[in-house]
Amino acid sequence: MPMQWANVIAWDRVRTGEPRLDPDGGEFRHRLLAEGDSWFTLGGLPTSNLLFSLRFSSSAIVVNCAMPGDTIRHMAEIAANRELQAAFSGRFGYDWDAILLSGGGNDLIDRVRDIVSPPELRLGDPAGPEDYCDETAVQSLLADVTDGYRRIVELRDATGSSCPGAPIVTHTYDWPTPRNAPARFIGVAAKGPWLFPALTEAQVPTKDWLAVSDYLLGRVGDAILQLGAPGPACLPHFHVVETRNTLIRAELGATGVSNDWMNEIHPTFDGYRKLADAIGVEVRAQLAA
């Protein structure tokens, strides 16, 4: 049977009476809820996102609570979203077959200026990427990211929830290249760049940009992976797809589209397709289970 793309709609379009917009309308074999950052947003910059590239073995609807626009959304904000709370509620929510989450990357890029230390605050000449970073600030970042995911799991499993125990599937990110490549709309810079100015202002040598960026994205990715791995941090029915090393990274110094990256932190359409292929394997496995 050929694979199918889902009908991806915004939360505010459900309950309109239109069959193609009704998760309970009987037209769809699977109903999924999505929430997250700019990799999931509808109507944002860039105009494509990861959800549009997910494929399913049966008809599926993905109801997306991610906010429109290329906003910097933190995990705490995602977890506190009223639309997400309504989607989990017994009164307004649905018995979701799976929940798709994307979060944590924006927390990093919005706080990287606080994490990467200028020369006067470093303890000597850095021997590795960790020596450019304030470990206390890194630990605060990781605590906030993991707390956001925990709050969403608690919301899913709260008394009166419409979908207690529904499998959650999320992902790590991939390796962005710090570069002067903002998100653009009709050729005009609209948002960003994000990592590039922070490393420039902190006077990190260009030769160390990739190492510092990879170190920080690696710390965030490892923290998210622990939430789905056996151990004290593990969350119930929580599955993390390792997506690092899926994309061909952008060239250092490129200011526009480069390899699988549209701009500094957003993949191209083909990049999202590669990520969706990897994530889709886990999503389909959870739906089959």
Side-chain angles (χ1 to χ4, degrees), residues 34-41 64-67 71 73 75 78 81 100-103 106:
E35 169 62 310
D37 54 23
S38 55
W39 280 22
F40 275 14
T41 52
N64 192 8
C65 292
M67 299 294 288
T71 53
R73 302 191 68 214
M75 280 304 305
I78 291 170
N81 184 5
L100 310 177
L101 297 178
S102 178
N106 282 346

Side-chain angles (χ1 to χ4, degrees), residues 122-133 204-205 207-208 211-212 215:
R122 297 175 198 154
L123 300 177
D125 189 27
E130 66 278 5
D131 296 329
Y132 288 104
C133 303
V204 176
K207 66 179 180 64
D208 292 334
V212 173
Y215 171 73

